[in-house]
Amino acid sequence: MIGDFRKSIANVLSRTRAASDSLRDGVEDLRSKIADLSARRDEIKAQAPLRDVAVARATEFINNQKSLSETRSPGISRFLDGPTAYRPPEMLDRHDMLFRYLAPALVEAMTAEIDRQYETTAGISEEERERKLQEIDRELLDAELCEESIIRASEESGFTIFRRADADPRAVLAHADSLP
Amino acid sequence: MAKKLVFHPSRLEHIGNIKDATLGASQKAVKDAADLSKEVKDLTIQITDITTVEPRDSFEAISKRDSLTRLTKRREELREKLAAAVAVREASQERFNAASTLFDRCEKFWSAQV
């Protein structure tokens, strides 16, 4: 009789442990998926823009520097002064001179360099980036809601699974009806 | 998931309760480790005291050796317990930090909702 009771208790204990392990495994799988999706999200955010965007950025940068250099470096009319009035400028900023007179060549050189980079770099349009990020965000939220659902189920069963510090508050604070 | 998300204030309270519980556990773990550390130090003082006193006769020498063996063994046991308590202290501190960070983020999120 006592042997049967012990056996029954052992069975219950075994099933309880199995249930606990199953909940933990479920959460671990989801956490691994969340980590993968987060890494993928970071990759998409960091992905290079389309080639034209990079060229436009480089052109804008050089043109801005050219504009600045035009306000800083001495006006060319100074070199047209008569021999008595003419004094060579004390110092010319080499960068200013470079941007002021060689901007088109710099843009051309940088464009060629950008083209070389894009031979091995895949660019992404901002629309595509936004679409992919939204897709990942939806998957992430789904995974977070599932994780929260399992954590609550485990809490109700008396098992403690600690939440991640970076868990999504939308999942953590969700009403039970909002969870899968 | 097409379902519209609805948030409930009891969830924030729940997360706050978990934070408080982890703080309590962390404080207890700190105290447990400190108590064990003090016990180990006290034993070390006792062992040093016994070691420095010269026995006056063979009876005292045997007694001293027995005491040293007993205290050293006890100190080793406590050191093992202390190592485990320190691990518990670190883990509970991490749990509290995580719970606290999560609560702060949830509180901020909730404030932005209401």
Side-chain angles (χ1 to χ4, degrees):
Chain A
M1 197 69 177
I2 288 176
D4 286 348
F5 178 68
R6 277 190 182 151
K7 207 172 165 183
S8 155
I9 291 287
N11 281 338
V12 169
L13 198 60
S14 168
R15 281 203 300 272
T16 308
R17 280 189 183 138
S20 161
D21 289 347
S22 172
L23 286 169
R24 278 181 210 285
D25 288 349
V27 167
E28 283 313 310
D29 286 350
L30 283 166
R31 286 182 176 171
S32 167
K33 187 184 175 188
I34 289 167
D36 289 348
L37 284 169
S38 298
R40 178 82 188 113
R41 195 179 195 283
D42 290 343
E43 278 172 22
I44 290 169
K45 277 174 83 177
Q47 199 174 340
L50 291 177
R51 176 257 181 209
D52 289 352
V53 174
V55 170
R57 285 176 182 170
T59 307
E60 188 189 7
F61 170 73
I62 296 297
N63 287 340
N64 284 343
Q65 296 303 314
K66 184 175 182 287
S67 299
L68 283 172
S69 70
E70 281 165 358
T71 61
R72 283 196 299 244
S73 58
I76 208 73
S77 60
R78 287 186 60 174
F79 296 99
L80 273 66
D81 287 343
T84 48
Y86 174 67
R87 295 281 180 279
E90 279 179 14
M91 187 64 174
L92 294 177
D93 186 296
R94 289 186 193 93
H95 293 113
D96 282 345
M97 296 299 283
L98 191 74
F99 286 119
R100 188 166 181 178
Y101 296 106
L102 297 175
L106 287 173
V107 169
E108 197 181 319
M110 286 174 82
T111 303
E113 179 69 32
I114 287 168
D115 282 340
R116 273 197 294 279
Q117 293 277 328
Y118 272 88
E119 283 170 12
T120 52
T121 303
I124 185 173
S125 72
E126 292 317 302
E127 294 76 25
E128 180 68 356
R129 192 194 308 274
E130 192 53 39
R131 191 189 63 72
K132 283 187 172 182
L133 286 175
Q134 280 181 8
E135 197 177 294
I136 286 182
D137 285 346
R138 270 196 299 274
E139 276 189 64
L140 263 173
L141 183 57
D142 280 353
E144 295 249 9
L145 288 168
C146 286
E147 182 192 11
E148 179 63 22
S149 198
I150 295 178
I151 289 174
R152 286 190 202 177
S154 73
E155 280 175 348
E156 282 160 18
S157 312
F159 312 125
T160 306
I161 299 178
F162 289 97
R163 288 174 178 80
R164 289 173 295 114
D166 60 351
D168 191 331
R170 289 175 299 172
V172 176
L173 301 180
H175 191 280
D177 293 344
S178 300
L179 294 178
Chain B
M1 194 153 298
K3 248 192 229 179
K4 189 183 183 307
L5 282 178
V6 179
F7 309 112
H8 201 273
S10 66
R11 299 311 308 165
L12 184 63
E13 196 184 325
H14 179 66
I15 298 301
N17 289 341
I18 290 174
K19 184 187 93 166
D20 293 344
T22 55
L23 174 63
S26 175
Q27 286 169 337
K28 185 183 176 301
V30 168
K31 188 183 176 304
D32 289 349
D35 288 350
L36 280 167
S37 176
K38 187 178 178 305
E39 271 192 75
V40 170
K41 274 181 195 158
D42 289 348
L43 275 173
T44 302
I45 292 167
Q46 281 184 52
I47 290 167
T48 309
D49 287 349
I50 292 172
T51 313
T52 49
V53 175
E54 272 300 311
R56 281 170 300 187
D57 50 38
S58 59
F59 178 76
E60 261 195 12
I62 291 166
S63 168
K64 178 182 162 176
R65 193 184 60 211
D66 289 349
S67 294
L68 275 176
T69 306
R70 183 176 48 81
L71 290 174
T72 307
K73 188 167 175 266
R74 173 76 183 137
R75 186 171 64 174
E76 281 316 302
E77 287 168 1
L78 283 177
R79 275 182 175 158
E80 278 175 28
K81 278 189 184 175
L82 177 60
V86 167
V88 169
R89 185 185 67 193
E90 302 302 317
S92 58
Q93 181 65 48
E94 269 180 39
R95 277 184 198 137
F96 168 67
N97 289 343
S100 180
T101 303
L102 179 61
F103 177 74
D104 291 347
R105 291 178 58 244
C106 287
E107 203 176 32
K108 207 172 161 187
F109 175 82
W110 185 260
S111 304
Q113 296 295 310
V114 293

